[in-house]
Amino acid sequence: MTSSAAYLVPALAVGVPVGVYALFLGLVSIPYVQRFAVYAHKVNTLWWPPHNPNRPERWGFAKNQVTPFTLKTIDNQTLYAWHILPLGLYAKHEAALAAQDRSSSGGFVSDITSSLNFKLLRNDPEARLVLYFHGNAGHITQSIRPRSFHALTSVSSKIHILAIDYRGFGLSTGSPTEDGLILDARAAVDWATHVAGIPPERIVLLGHSLGTAVATVAAEFYSCGTTSTSGPYSDNGPRNTTNDATNTRDRSQKPLEFAGLILIAAFSSLPTMLSGYSIAGWLPVLRPLTYWPWLLRKVMSRIVDKWQSDQRLTALTKFAKSRGRKFNLTLIHARNDWDIPCHEDDKLFRGAVKGLVEAELGVGIDYGGSDGLEDETEEERERIKRAEERDVERAVETVLREEKGKRTAERWMGDGSKKEKERGFVTTWYDEGVTIRQELFPYGGHNNIMFYSPVPLAVMRAFGLVDEPESRLN
C-alpha cells in the first residue's frame, strides 16, 4: 500500500505556496494594505537620529545651502520640503548664507520667505527651478535622493531645486492616495509660481519612478486643464471657488507652458506595470496570473490608484499641438532597471505620439466642448467613438513603424560586440511646438541613473542652458 506521505509532500509543496499567494492577493485587494505596499511610505529611516532631514549638512550640503520648510495643501495637509541652492550661487554668497542662525529651530525654517535663500531664488530673473518628485518608499534624504540633488545643483549656478515629501512620507502629514498626491503636486507648483514668483517657462517638472506619475499629472493639470481630482487651488496661490465634478482647473487661469517634463524610470500606468512587475527583478507579483487572463483582469480592477500616465501624455501632446503651444517631454530609462522594465517607456512614447495623431485627425481637441454627437443615440455614439479609436490606433501604429526608426540614433556602449543589452539610443520627435525625446541607456539601474550625466544634461537642455548634439548618449 502506498504511503499517504507520498501524496502529502507534493500536495504541501504545491498547496502552501499557492495558499500564501492567494492570501497575498486577498490582502492587497484591501485599499489600505494595497496603498501601504505600493507607496511604501512607512519604510524609512526617520527613527534613526542621524537621518533627521532638518540637518542637510549630514548629506554633504554646505551650511544653509538647503532650507527645510513646509507647504500647505488645499486639504490642510502639511508637506515637508527642501529648497536647495545651486552650489555656484551658494559660493558667491557663502558668508551671508552661512551666517543665518537656524540653531533655535534645529535647522527648520518656519517662514522661508524671510530667508536669504528664498530671496536669491525669487529676485533672480535668471533663476531656474526644478520641481523634484521622488519615487516611493523612504523620505526626502533617503537612498539616492541627496546624490541626485548634488548632481543637479552642481551643473549650473542658476538651477535651484524644490523637493517635497508627499503626504504620509517622512515628516509630512496624512496618508498617500492618487488624488492626495495630485493635491501635493499642485501645492508645489503653486508655491513655485505664486510664492517664489518663478514663471513656468523657468520651471522643469522632474519625476523618478512613482514621481513620474506625479510630475505628469501636475503637467496635465496646469498645461491643459484636466485632472483626475477636483477642488480649489492650493492655499499658496489663487483659489477656484467652484468644486464640481468636471475635474478641471479654473478656466480663467491661462494654461502654463513649463520648460520641460522629465520622467526617469517611468511607467505607463500602475495596473499595466504591476501585471509584469517583479520585486527586486525576480519575485513576480501579478505575472503568474497571466495564465488566467480573466483572473488577472479581476485583480487589476481592484487596484485603487491607477496613475495612467500614458493617457495623460496623450492629453498633453494633443492639447499642445491643437492649441499651437509648446510641450517638451523627455523620457530616460536604463535597460538594466530591475524595478520598472524599460519597455514601459515605449508605451509612454506611444501615448505621447498618439496625442499628436489625435490632434492631426481632429479627435476631441475641444476640451469641455461639443463632440458633435449630441443628436445621436447613446449606442450610436459609442459605436462612432469605438470606430474613431480604431482609426487612431491604426494611424499611431503606422506613424511609429514608418517614422520612429528614422528619428533614432543608436550606440553600443560595451566591448564593441554590439550585444542587445549594451545598446542605447536616443529618439527625438519634433512636431511643431511639441518635442518628445526618449533616451535608453544600458546601465544605471533603477536608482543610479538619477545622478548619471543623462539627467543633469536633460535638465540643462530643457532650460536651454546647453546645446547638445542629438546623437549624444553619454
Side-chain angles (χ1 to χ4, degrees), residues 21 220 259 277 280:
Y21 187 61
E220 182 197 29
Y277 177 72

Side-chain angles (χ1 to χ4, degrees), residues 4 35 37 89 154 215 318 343 389 456:
S4 59
R35 285 176 169 137
L89 181 63
S154 62
K318 178 168 62 177
H343 60 72
E389 180 65 22

Side-chain angles (χ1 to χ4, degrees), residues 71-77 79 133 164 166-167 177-191 214 217-218 221-222 227-236 243 307:
L71 302 174
K72 278 288 187 181
T73 66
I74 61 170
D75 58 344
N76 293 318
Q77 298 298 334
L79 306 182
F133 300 100
I164 65 169
Y166 317 116
R167 61 187 62 205
T177 65
E178 181 171 5
D179 282 354
L181 267 63
I182 291 171
L183 297 181
D184 298 345
R186 289 169 57 182
V189 175
D190 286 344
W191 183 89
V214 183
V217 78
F221 181 84
Y222 288 95
T227 81
S228 59
T229 190
S230 58
Y233 274 20
S234 162
D235 288 341
N236 303 303
N243 184 7
W307 290 114

Side-chain angles (χ1 to χ4, degrees), residues 153-290:
T153 53
S154 62
V155 293
S156 170
S157 60
K158 299 178 181 180
I159 298 177
H160 299 242
I161 293 177
L162 172 68
I164 65 169
D165 267 336
Y166 317 116
R167 61 187 62 205
F169 285 73
L171 298 177
S172 298
T173 63
S175 298
T177 65
E178 181 171 5
D179 282 354
L181 267 63
I182 291 171
L183 297 181
D184 298 345
R186 289 169 57 182
V189 175
D190 286 344
W191 183 89
T193 55
H194 299 298
V195 179
I198 307 299
E201 60 269 19
R202 288 197 270 127
I203 295 174
V204 159
L205 306 176
L206 183 149
H208 173 237
S209 193
L210 169 67
T212 62
V214 183
T216 301
V217 78
E220 182 197 29
F221 181 84
Y222 288 95
S223 298
C224 61
T226 59
T227 81
S228 59
T229 190
S230 58
Y233 274 20
S234 162
D235 288 341
N236 303 303
R239 301 182 67 88
N240 171 11
T241 56
T242 61
N243 184 7
D244 55 29
T246 60
N247 292 335
T248 59
R249 64 188 296 234
D250 185 350
R251 292 185 181 274
S252 66
Q253 300 294 323
K254 183 180 178 181
L256 307 183
E257 289 185 4
F258 296 102
L261 172 63
I262 301 175
L263 309 179
I264 302 102
F267 57 93
S268 56
S269 74
L270 193 57
T272 301
M273 190 270 288
L274 289 178
S275 66
Y277 177 72
S278 296
I279 299 173
W282 64 272
L283 184 61
V285 177
L286 299 181
R287 193 180 301 169
L289 300 183
T290 56

